[in-house]
């Protein structure tokens, strides 16, 4: 893989080719757009792979009068790009809209709203690609996969899963997608379509603030590790298993705790390394403990933001 073909001090100029809502329904709790950028005139063309990220440089200056630095976004495209030639990459961008706590005035995320506001044909400065660990293995057919995402954390998995399925690997692949409401599910129809046409791919959703499609109670995504044990345990227990986790910071706590509770012995050791002073009860594994006393092994990949 390649990295930093365009470093932060030397961005390339891409051009927006598509900007569409990618939530399951237009009226969702958040505004998330699928933004595709033509990078054919940049060094990024054919230079990225699924799982990497790229940078967007917003125009203007910070309140301190300095140029804005690049903000990184996961590439949501397969390695072939949106166009099949590696000339168009895409990302899933959620608008950041909030209030300043001290004076209750509106706060708008600089890069996210800039990117979502761009119109087809607009130029955008891009950097990267970035990242060399959160990618598929060199021999993907030798592994089985559990991908766990919340929100825009599905972005890299859209590309990685497409790469796997288009390569025709027979590996078992499961995507667990968590969302507050069903209307917030991203790329839902696309993922369901892939599951319908590929017998080795399973797509499972978890809705945390309303009942599930089958009438089940609200649940967080880590609870699917228990409700779908028949599907997931053969993957996780296998010597071929890999686990990828991507989404908002904090989600990894529940997932690691659930793995610590449900796995033991060699199965747990494949994914987690415990320090001698790590709490014996997984319920006590908080965010401070993770990566200090409870570390993921090379078979578990965490990307949270």
């Amino acid at each position: 893989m390649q990295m930093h073909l365009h470093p932060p001090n030397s961005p390339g100029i891409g051009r927006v080719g598509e900007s569409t809502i990618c939530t399951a329904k237009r009226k969702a709790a958040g505004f998330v757009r699928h933004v595709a950028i033509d990078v054919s005139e940049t060094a990024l063309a054919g230079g990225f792979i699924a799982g990497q990220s790229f940078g967007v440089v917003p125009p203007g200056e910070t309140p301190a009068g300095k140029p804005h630095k690049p903000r990184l976004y996961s590439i949501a495209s397969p390695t072939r790009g949106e166009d099949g030639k590696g000339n168009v990459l895409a990302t899933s961008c959620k608008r950041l809209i909030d209030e300043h706590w001290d004076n209750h005035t509106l706060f708008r995320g600089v890069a996210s709203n800039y990117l979502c506001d761009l119109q087809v044909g607009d130029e955008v400065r891009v950097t990267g690609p970035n990242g060399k660990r959160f990618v598929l293995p060199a021999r993907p057919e030798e592994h089985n996969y559990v991908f766990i995402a919340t929100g825009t954390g599905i972005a890299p998995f859209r590309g990685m899963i497409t790469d796997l399925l288009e390569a025709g690997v027979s590996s078992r692949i499961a995507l667990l997608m968590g969302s507050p409401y069903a209307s917030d599910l991203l790329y839902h129809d696309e993922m369901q379509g892939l599951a319908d046409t590929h017998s080795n791919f399973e797509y499972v959703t978890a809705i945390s603030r309303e009942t599930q499609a089958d009438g089940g109670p609200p649940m967080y995504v880590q609870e699917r590790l228990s409700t779908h044990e028949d599907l997931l345990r053969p993957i996780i227990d296998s010597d071929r298993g890999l686990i990828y986790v991507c989404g908002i910071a904090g989600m990894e706590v529940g997932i690691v705790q659930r793995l610590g509770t449900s796995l033991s012995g060699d199965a747990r050791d494949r994914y987690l390394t415990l320090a001698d002073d790590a709490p014996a009860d997984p319920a006590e594994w908080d965010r401070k403990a993770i990566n200090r006393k409870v570390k993921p092994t090379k078979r578990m990949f965490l990307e949270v933001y």
Side-chain angles (χ1 to χ4, degrees):
M1 71 192 71
Q2 303 184 76
M3 292 179 60
H4 310 303
L5 297 174
H6 279 292
N9 61 355
S10 181
I13 304 298
R15 192 175 297 275
V16 176
E18 178 186 353
S19 182
T20 54
I21 290 288
C22 61
T23 48
K25 294 183 180 179
R26 189 171 185 85
K27 290 186 177 180
F31 301 102
V32 186
R33 301 195 72 84
H34 172 82
V35 182
I37 301 173
D38 185 336
V39 295
S40 58
E41 300 301 319
T42 77
L44 283 167
F48 60 87
I49 65 174
Q52 289 187 296
S53 60
F54 74 107
V56 172
V57 185
E61 298 179 337
T62 68
K66 297 182 178 181
H68 287 296
K69 295 181 179 180
R71 269 68 162 185
L72 295 183
Y73 290 91
S74 293
I75 295 174
S77 306
T79 300
R80 60 166 170 75
E82 299 294 295
D83 62 331
K85 300 178 181 179
N87 290 326
V88 180
L89 59 75
T91 190
S92 316
C93 183
K94 181 178 181 179
R95 290 184 183 273
L96 174 56
I97 304 173
D98 206 342
E99 281 190 353
H100 290 284
W101 286 20
D102 54 348
N103 59 16
H104 61 82
T105 57
L106 181 66
F107 171 79
R108 300 176 77 247
V110 173
S112 65
N113 285 282
Y114 161 68
L115 189 55
C116 287
D117 284 346
L118 289 172
Q119 303 295 306
V120 172
D122 286 349
E123 292 185 349
V124 54
R125 292 184 293 169
V126 295
T127 65
N130 300 78
K132 60 181 180 180
R133 185 173 187 273
F134 202 81
V135 295
L136 293 173
R139 295 180 291 277
E141 70 281 356
E142 295 182 1
H143 301 276
N144 295 319
Y145 305 86
V146 175
F147 298 104
I148 307 175
T150 59
T152 55
I154 195 176
F157 299 154
R158 175 180 181 262
M160 295 161 79
I161 291 168
T162 301
D163 272 6
L164 290 169
L165 296 178
E166 289 186 349
V169 299
S170 59
S171 304
R172 300 187 65 175
I173 307 165
L175 169 62
L176 311 184
M177 176 63 185
S179 177
Y181 302 99
S183 59
D184 295 321
L185 291 169
L186 306 182
Y187 303 113
H188 178 64
D189 291 343
E190 184 176 342
M191 292 298 109
Q192 190 60 64
L194 290 175
D196 290 343
T197 54
H198 295 83
S199 60
N200 61 324
F201 173 53
E202 296 284 346
Y203 171 54
V204 181
T205 63
I207 310 301
S208 63
R209 297 183 184 175
E210 61 185 15
T211 57
Q212 312 305 307
D214 60 3
M219 66 178 64
Y220 291 104
V221 68
Q222 66 266 20
E223 296 177 67
R224 287 304 190 193
L225 294 170
S226 298
T227 64
H228 284 63
E229 269 195 312
D230 290 347
L231 165 66
L232 301 172
R233 286 303 290 266
I235 300 176
I236 294 174
D237 287 350
S238 166
D239 290 337
R240 293 166 49 94
L242 298 178
I243 299 176
Y244 291 77
V245 179
C246 188
I248 191 167
M251 68 171 289
E252 75 276 19
V253 176
I255 293 169
V256 170
Q257 288 177 341
R258 187 59 61 100
L259 289 173
T261 300
S262 61
L263 300 179
S264 61
D266 291 343
R268 187 170 70 176
D269 293 343
R270 290 192 189 99
Y271 304 100
L272 301 172
T273 299
L274 275 61
D276 292 339
D277 59 345
D281 184 358
E284 298 179 21
W285 297 352
D286 56 16
R287 289 186 66 183
K288 290 184 178 179
I290 296 174
N291 286 325
R292 293 183 182 179
K293 299 181 180 181
V294 183
K295 298 182 180 181
T297 70
K298 63 181 181 180
R299 287 185 176 273
M300 185 172 181
F301 306 84
L302 298 178
E303 186 87 7
V304 295
Y305 47 85

